[in-house]
Amino acid sequence: MLYDKKRKYGKKKFCRFCKNPELEINYKNTDILKQFISEVGKIEPARLTGACAKHQRKISNEIKKARHMALLPYIAD
């Protein structure tokens, strides 16, 4: 067992928008969108957020709209 590596199994991530269709991804919902932005101000990738590809694209587009409308900052202070 020369290459015996420890494997780390974490909790399986799921898309909260697929599970709960009542949650709406909209540029006006800044409270939801802030959860998908890092401390630095970057959009978090899907592997960290757990969102599916369809909803991750929607999230990133709505964050960009909210930034353009000055509801969210481009960079963190």
Side-chain angles (χ1 to χ4, degrees):
M1 296 281 232
L2 199 61
Y3 297 104
D4 189 25
K5 295 182 181 179
K6 294 181 181 179
R7 295 187 183 199
K8 296 179 183 178
Y9 294 104
K11 183 179 173 185
K12 177 147 173 66
K13 295 183 181 180
F14 61 92
C15 181
R16 69 177 90 171
F17 300 105
C18 289
K19 191 171 185 178
N20 187 3
E22 295 175 0
L23 284 176
E24 184 181 352
I25 303 171
N26 195 349
Y27 71 94
K28 297 175 189 173
N29 294 338
T30 56
D31 296 332
I32 293 176
L33 295 179
K34 283 180 186 176
Q35 298 172 0
F36 297 96
I37 298 176
S38 69
E39 295 174 356
V40 182
K42 293 183 175 183
I43 300 172
E44 294 284 344
R47 62 184 165 80
L48 295 179
T49 61
C52 65
K54 174 184 168 184
H55 288 114
Q56 182 68 24
R57 284 192 301 270
K58 180 88 170 155
I59 289 167
S60 63
N61 286 334
E62 296 300 318
I63 288 174
K64 291 172 188 177
K65 282 182 192 176
R67 285 175 173 169
H68 186 71
M69 301 292 273
L71 299 174
L72 291 175
Y74 280 97
I75 56 172
D77 293 337

